[in-house]
């Protein structure tokens, strides 16, 4: 059965001068939808409803959750800090929705894949913190906003042996693309870091006691068409969601044949 995957869009409240426009607007890069559709899922773009009961109702209709990236950054007050650098802030409607859904997805054991800004939201939802600006706060940090096209990889990551990510890609090292200026500083409760860049920046987090709960700092939706390992990320996520769809207990990933 094809799993239904809820996909979170970005949102422009319409009052940000630097974004122009007046009307509140949802937007989402089509690659996220294409990756889910082409690899066997049914993507559904989720409206960022404010009502908590409505959020729970939405989750009843999906088998997996995909938290997408975002140009703007999470409000630092959400992880107990004041804003120290100039950057646009994610719309409160989006951050409130996603922070709530992350905790619901843990409680309800909903397979969840979080990409880039989505990973940062996943971490903050679990009580973790972020570097507000890598180049200002971390010495000798790599260029994590690559200047080459996102369909190209730009640095390697080292993967923790035995982690979910390792069990998916069956490698302890792989190459990724990179388009971020923030990253995980302290890892949230119940989560573990499972990959790092050569400069030590966290590149993946996961919940070890959840069927599939993985946050990654890179963008596999630009890479899945030509890179097997990035395709496997979506395929394994969709298999976990499909198991939920068929109401089978969703065992921890024991290998790509499970
Ligand atoms: N703002 C955060 C997260 C970066 C991110 O999600 N980038 C993706 C760009 C938007 C998109 O194309 O989806 C940071 O810069 O660290």
């Amino acid at each position: 059965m094809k799993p239904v995957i809820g996909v979170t869009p970005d949102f422009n409240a319409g009052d940000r001068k630097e974004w122009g426009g007046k009307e509140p607007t949802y937007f989402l890069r089509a690659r996220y939808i294409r990756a889910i559709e082409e690899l066997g899922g049914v993507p559904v773009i989720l409206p960022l409803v404010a009502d908590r009961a409505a959020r729970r109702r939405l989750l009843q209709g999906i088998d997996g959750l995909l938290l997408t990236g975002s140009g703007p950054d999470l409000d630092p007050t959400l992880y107990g800090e004041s804003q120290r650098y100039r950057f646009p802030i994610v719309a409160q409607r989006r951050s409130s929705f996603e922070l709530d859904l992350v905790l619901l997805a843990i409680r309800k054991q909903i397979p969840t894949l979080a990409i880039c800004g989505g990973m940062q939201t996943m971490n903050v939802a679990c009580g973790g913190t972020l570097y507000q600006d890598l180049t200002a706060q971390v010495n000798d940090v790599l260029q994590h906003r690559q200047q080459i096209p996102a369909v190209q990889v730009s640095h390697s990551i080292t993967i923790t042996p035995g982690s979910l990510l390792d069990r998916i890609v069956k490698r302890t090292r792989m190459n990724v693309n990179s388009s971020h200026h923030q990253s995980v500083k302290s890892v949230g409760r119940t989560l573990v870091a499972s990959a790092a860049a050569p400069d030590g920046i966290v590149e993946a987090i996961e919940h070890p006691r959840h069927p599939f709960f993985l946050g990654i700092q890179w963008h596999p939706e630009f890479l899945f068409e030509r890179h097997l390992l990035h395709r496997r990320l979506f395929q394994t996520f969709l298999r976990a969601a499909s198991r939920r769809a068929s109401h089978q207990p969703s065992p921890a990933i024991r290998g790509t044949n499970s």
Side-chain angles (χ1 to χ4, degrees):
M1 176 191 290
K2 284 193 173 189
V4 175
I5 304 297
V7 182
T8 59
D10 211 335
F11 181 72
N12 179 342
D15 57 358
R16 285 195 193 125
K17 290 184 177 44
E18 66 271 25
W19 282 77
K22 291 280 181 286
E23 274 299 298
T25 310
Y26 284 97
F27 54 102
L28 174 68
R29 266 194 297 100
R31 285 180 180 277
Y32 292 110
I33 299 300
R34 190 161 87 234
I36 297 301
E37 186 179 5
E38 290 190 8
L39 295 174
V42 178
V44 172
I45 300 174
L46 298 176
L48 305 175
V49 292
D51 177 70
R52 293 172 68 91
R55 291 169 181 173
R56 282 163 179 68
R57 187 75 186 83
L58 279 175
L59 283 183
Q60 289 169 353
I62 65 172
D63 307 306
L65 176 63
L66 175 63
L67 299 180
T68 61
S70 70
D73 299 312
L74 277 179
D75 185 340
T77 59
L78 293 169
Y79 49 95
E81 296 185 9
S82 57
Q83 184 166 350
R84 299 174 57 186
Y85 308 96
R86 271 181 59 80
F87 46 70
I89 298 293
V90 167
Q92 189 273 339
R93 174 174 283 271
R94 178 177 186 184
S95 51
S96 168
F97 180 85
E98 290 185 322
L99 290 167
D100 196 11
L101 254 65
V102 165
L103 298 179
L104 287 170
I106 290 176
R107 195 178 315 147
K108 296 176 180 298
Q109 299 272 286
I110 298 174
T112 302
L113 177 63
I115 292 175
C116 203
M119 166 192 171
Q120 296 168 4
T121 300
M122 176 185 268
N123 188 57
V124 168
C126 294
T129 59
L130 306 178
Y131 287 113
Q132 292 192 30
D133 187 76
L134 285 170
T135 49
Q137 293 181 293
V138 182
N139 294 329
D140 304 324
V141 72
L142 286 179
Q143 170 56 268
H144 285 273
R145 268 200 195 289
Q146 69 185 54
Q147 300 307 305
I148 57 175
V151 292
Q152 297 176 22
V153 293
S154 62
H155 70 72
S156 65
I157 62 169
T158 302
I159 298 166
T160 305
S163 65
L164 170 62
L165 184 56
D166 173 24
R167 301 198 299 276
I168 294 170
V169 300
K170 296 187 178 306
R171 300 279 193 292
T172 51
R173 190 176 181 282
M174 68 188 284
N175 293 317
V176 298
N177 57 16
S178 192
S179 171
H180 61 105
H181 82 106
Q182 299 192 335
S183 72
V184 169
K185 181 164 66 175
S186 65
V187 177
R189 291 180 306 277
T190 70
L191 303 179
V192 296
S194 57
D199 56 5
I201 293 300
V202 173
E203 289 280 336
I205 53 176
E206 58 189 64
H207 190 308
R209 288 175 306 286
H210 187 289
F212 189 106
F213 196 82
L214 177 65
I216 57 180
Q217 190 62 75
W218 67 95
H219 285 271
E221 75 280 11
F222 282 93
L223 301 171
F224 80 94
E225 288 147 315
R226 295 190 298 161
H227 295 264
L228 171 64
L229 300 185
H230 297 281
R231 192 155 58 247
R232 268 197 203 147
L233 283 168
F234 286 111
Q235 290 170 327
T236 310
F237 166 53
L238 291 172
R239 265 206 298 279
S242 189
R243 273 196 293 272
R244 180 182 176 86
S246 55
H247 301 299
Q248 292 169 3
S250 185
I253 304 283
R254 281 185 291 279
T256 49
N257 302 322
S258 62

